[in-house]
Amino acid sequence: MPQDPPHRTTPAKTFIVVGLCLALLGGVGAWLLLGRETAEPCNGLAGDERVQKSVGAAVRPGTSCTALAEAIVGASAGDASGRHTQAQAQALKDVLTALGSGNAAELSLDPALRVPLASALADYAPDLHAMLGGIGITDFLAKAAPEAPPWQSEDTYHLTVLADTLRGVVRAVAQDPEAYALLRMAETRTTAQRLAAVPADAADYSLSVPPTEGARALATLDGIADAATQGKDKGQVQAWRAAVLDALLDGQASPKSDQDAQAAHLTTAWLQNLKDASEGERFDRLRTQGVDMVRTWSQDRKMDEQTRQGLLAKVERSALSAYREIKP
């Protein structure tokens, strides 16, 4: 009995199968490509009505990210003495609120926005200090809601947003090491200024709050640094950290400052401490910055040893708590 000839796929069937595979691969590729391209440019800020209204006519659909960033900085920047109008504070609040309207913890900023937004935030360094430190923030909490207008005290209007929004934006900004260094330096100067302003006869709460708040703010930035570099490989993390340290030590991150002599001394002393550390220890030295600055300050004040040690222990515990709240 003759055997059936072996089965062979006809050319027509082969072409059909190959065509279907190519179509499928093409569809997936197009989905990936178009999915990326259809994300709103500049994080959708140029098309946000509140941002358009508060930042100004320079913001409109199609505005480049560079032009948008310049407009945000220009609309929110205060005068030479650091005072801000209600419109200026509102402009930055609307930008931050728009960015934090989704899942702030997963926010990824357009790279062109990172350094300019860090510059804008640094212009509100005292407000950033209060919100990151999280101690004397009663007024900030009351006015944090998106619909609440900026509030006024001491001849200036203050920036205040929801805590999750602020942390999410700062983490996204910190993807750029130059932006992170700028915020770190702004906080360093503010912490130094707060320490220098503590009266010579301060005791109890008035003595402990300024150093504790500063250490907490710096520790919060430590946690944000970890969050910003999460998921990167070892080489990328090392490169990010090296760029931060270079910006701090080379003075690239130094914003405008009118520090008094004592505050400037505390800032300079800490930077010298950082510079004197070995390269392998420098980034770890950032983790002890809050306590190190308080140690220098307490020595300059000739604080008695019992008070000094008790204060340092309290500051260190509070800073560790703040760091753990943020660390991923």
Side-chain angles (χ1 to χ4, degrees):
M1 182 175 180
Q3 294 182 346
D4 293 332
H7 177 73
R8 293 181 183 178
T9 303
T10 64
K13 289 182 178 178
T14 301
F15 289 139
I16 291 172
V17 171
V18 172
L20 287 173
C21 289
L22 289 175
L24 179 61
L25 290 173
V28 171
W31 180 83
L32 290 171
L33 181 61
L34 291 175
R36 290 174 184 170
E37 290 181 348
T38 54
E40 290 187 274
C42 308
N43 293 89
L45 292 177
D48 187 282
E49 291 183 1
R50 288 183 61 174
V51 173
Q52 291 172 352
K53 181 179 178 181
S54 60
V55 174
V59 180
R60 58 187 181 278
T63 300
S64 72
C65 291
T66 301
L68 173 64
E70 290 175 356
I72 291 170
V73 173
S76 62
D79 61 22
S81 63
R83 290 189 298 266
H84 296 91
T85 66
Q86 185 174 24
Q88 289 166 344
Q90 186 68 57
L92 188 53
K93 177 168 184 169
D94 285 343
V95 169
L96 300 182
T97 298
L99 290 173
S101 61
N103 186 348
E106 296 181 1
L107 175 65
S108 180
L109 278 176
D110 187 290
L113 296 175
R114 293 169 185 167
V115 172
L117 272 180
S119 177
L121 285 165
D123 202 55
Y124 293 78
D127 298 334
L128 195 63
H129 171 85
M131 289 187 283
L132 293 176
I135 296 181
I137 57 170
T138 302
D139 290 321
F140 287 89
L141 291 174
K143 298 292 186 181
E147 64 275 7
W151 55 283
Q152 184 181 21
S153 70
E154 300 175 356
D155 300 323
T156 190
Y157 281 86
H158 297 278
L159 171 70
T160 176
V161 293
L162 297 173
D164 287 347
T165 294
L166 179 70
R167 291 173 179 178
V169 171
V170 173
R171 182 199 59 78
V173 162
Q175 294 286 331
D176 187 306
E178 180 186 343
Y180 178 81
L182 197 158
L183 291 176
R184 185 93 194 190
M185 198 66 230
E187 178 51 45
T188 297
R189 292 182 180 278
T190 304
T191 292
Q193 197 67 52
R194 291 289 189 268
L195 291 173
V198 176
D201 60 351
D204 300 325
Y205 192 77
S206 61
L207 177 68
S208 65
V209 166
T212 302
E213 186 173 55
R216 285 181 60 84
L218 290 164
T220 298
L221 288 176
D222 290 334
I224 285 171
D226 286 350
T229 55
Q230 187 179 30
K232 297 183 184 297
D233 63 38
K234 185 177 180 180
Q236 291 173 320
V237 173
Q238 289 177 339
W240 185 91
R241 291 179 173 182
V244 168
L245 292 168
D246 286 346
L248 290 171
L249 294 174
D250 293 345
Q252 298 171 25
S254 297
K256 61 185 180 183
S257 174
D258 56 352
Q259 285 190 305
D260 60 35
Q262 187 180 359
H265 162 70
L266 289 171
T267 298
T268 301
W270 178 74
L271 284 172
Q272 188 61 50
N273 244 352
L274 186 64
K275 186 175 183 179
D276 290 343
S278 67
E279 285 190 22
E281 296 175 344
R282 281 178 183 164
F283 199 81
D284 289 336
R285 187 63 63 87
L286 289 184
R287 302 293 170 83
T288 64
Q289 181 181 356
V291 177
D292 289 344
M293 291 184 73
V294 173
R295 184 178 290 110
T296 300
W297 169 73
S298 63
Q299 290 171 343
D300 290 346
R301 287 172 66 95
K302 296 180 171 55
M303 194 178 291
D304 71 83
E305 192 63 17
Q306 183 177 355
T307 302
R308 180 169 168 267
Q309 291 301 330
L311 180 60
L312 287 171
K314 181 176 183 178
V315 166
E316 188 170 12
R317 286 194 303 270
S318 191
L320 180 59
S321 175
Y323 171 70
R324 285 173 174 169
E325 289 174 12
I326 303 297
K327 186 180 184 300

